């Protein structure tokens, strides 16, 4: 993901030691504990530690961003820029979840990209035309069901492209990623009420855009 000479992929080396925890508030969650140790090491100039964070979170962040920007190349660029931004601003981290901090940076990068591309409309979500991202079909799969799911995806992606960037981001974070209102408010830098309003208005807009295709989403 990161191809700068100063930032490279790294594999997980050794587990954190007791000494690593002396200057780090140790949370109960082992994942948060690991992430905080890596981030503190990165702050001290350990590039391998930062690249461990890249390896741990690049796929998750890409899966989030690719639902918010028009194509995979742009999504990849957003994630890479988000990691560079995180690296440049390590001192801005004020505690809490490192994952949420990275998510917030990625969401902001994705929304900036969406705003910047308004002058050049493109086919939204072309990756949804590629079956490779779909999970393997089970034994219960049949051509009719497969065709229905493909049509549902096509219709929904088109509708998502028709609502505002802010509404789409809120709906993806809430309905797809499963974040709660408070987490979305923190990621997007708006109030709780604004998040709720965007989700509500976005759902209404989607319902209007879907029109007589709503039967695809019933049952």
């Amino acid at each position: 993901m990161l191809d700068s000479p100063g930032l490279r992929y790294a594999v997980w080396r050794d587990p954190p030691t007791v000494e690593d925890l002396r200057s780090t508030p140790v949370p109960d969650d082992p994942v948060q504990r690991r992430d905080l140790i890596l981030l503190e090491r990165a702050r001290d100039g350990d590039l391998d530690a930062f690249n461990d964070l890249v390896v741990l979170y690049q796929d998750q962040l890409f899966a989030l961003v690719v639902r918010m920007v028009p194509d995979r190349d742009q999504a990849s660029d957003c994630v890479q820029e988000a990691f560079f931004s995180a690296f440049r601003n390590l001192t801005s981290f004020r505690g809490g979840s490192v994952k949420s901090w990275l998510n917030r940076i990625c969401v902001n990068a994705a929304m900036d990209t969406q705003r910047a591309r308004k002058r050049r409309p493109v086919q939204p979500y072309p990756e949804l035309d590629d079956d490779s991202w779909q999970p393997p079909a089970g034994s219960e799969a049949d051509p009719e069901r497969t065709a229905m799911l493909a049509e549902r995806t096509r219709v929904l992606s088109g509708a998502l492209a028709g609502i505002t960037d802010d509404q789409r981001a809120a709906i993806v974070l809430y309905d797809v990623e499963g974040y709660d209102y408070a987490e979305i408010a923190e990621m997007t830098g708006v109030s709780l009420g604004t998040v709720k309003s965007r989700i509500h208005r976005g759902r209404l807009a989607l319902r209007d855009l879907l029109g007589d295709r709503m039967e695809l989403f019933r049952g």
Side-chain angles (χ1 to χ4, degrees), residues 142-182:
D142 60 71
E144 183 178 352
R145 176 176 174 79
T146 300
M148 183 195 71
L149 291 175
E151 178 66 4
R152 179 185 295 176
T153 297
R154 186 189 69 78
V155 170
L156 181 57
S157 64
L160 281 169
I163 64 178
T164 70
D165 298 336
D166 291 340
Q167 291 169 356
R168 179 168 54 256
I171 286 176
V172 167
L173 290 170
Y174 186 78
D175 289 325
V176 179
E177 295 296 322
Y179 290 104
D180 61 32
Y181 294 132

Side-chain angles (χ1 to χ4, degrees), residues 50-160:
F50 185 79
N51 279 284
D52 283 344
L53 287 174
V54 173
V55 172
L56 286 166
Y57 285 111
Q58 60 185 352
D59 290 343
Q60 294 178 43
L61 294 175
F62 179 80
L64 168 64
V65 174
V66 79
R67 296 185 176 98
M68 300 171 60
V69 298
D71 61 52
R72 299 180 75 86
D73 287 339
Q74 286 189 335
S76 180
D77 289 344
C78 282
V79 174
Q80 179 163 294
E81 179 55 38
F83 276 122
F84 282 130
S85 178
F87 183 75
R88 290 192 299 266
N89 295 281
L90 286 170
T91 57
S92 71
F93 180 76
R94 294 290 182 265
S97 167
V98 174
K99 178 182 177 181
S100 293
W101 180 66
L102 291 172
N103 279 342
R104 181 166 63 250
I105 295 172
C106 263
V107 167
N108 288 333
M111 294 177 71
D112 287 345
T113 296
Q114 290 289 75
R115 286 189 284 266
R117 75 175 181 84
K118 282 187 177 296
R119 295 190 304 273
R120 294 190 304 113
V122 297
Q123 175 64 27
Y125 313 109
E127 77 283 351
L128 297 176
D129 295 329
D130 180 2
D131 291 337
S132 64
W133 71 276
Q134 296 282 6
S139 58
E140 75 283 358
D142 60 71
E144 183 178 352
R145 176 176 174 79
T146 300
M148 183 195 71
L149 291 175
E151 178 66 4
R152 179 185 295 176
T153 297
R154 186 189 69 78
V155 170
L156 181 57
S157 64
L160 281 169

Side-chain angles (χ1 to χ4, degrees), residues 5 14 20 22 31 37 86 92 113 143 148 153 156 158 163 190 193 210:
D14 299 316
D20 294 322
R22 288 177 177 171
V31 172
I37 291 170
S92 71
T113 296
M148 183 195 71
T153 297
L156 181 57
I163 64 178
V190 299
L210 291 170

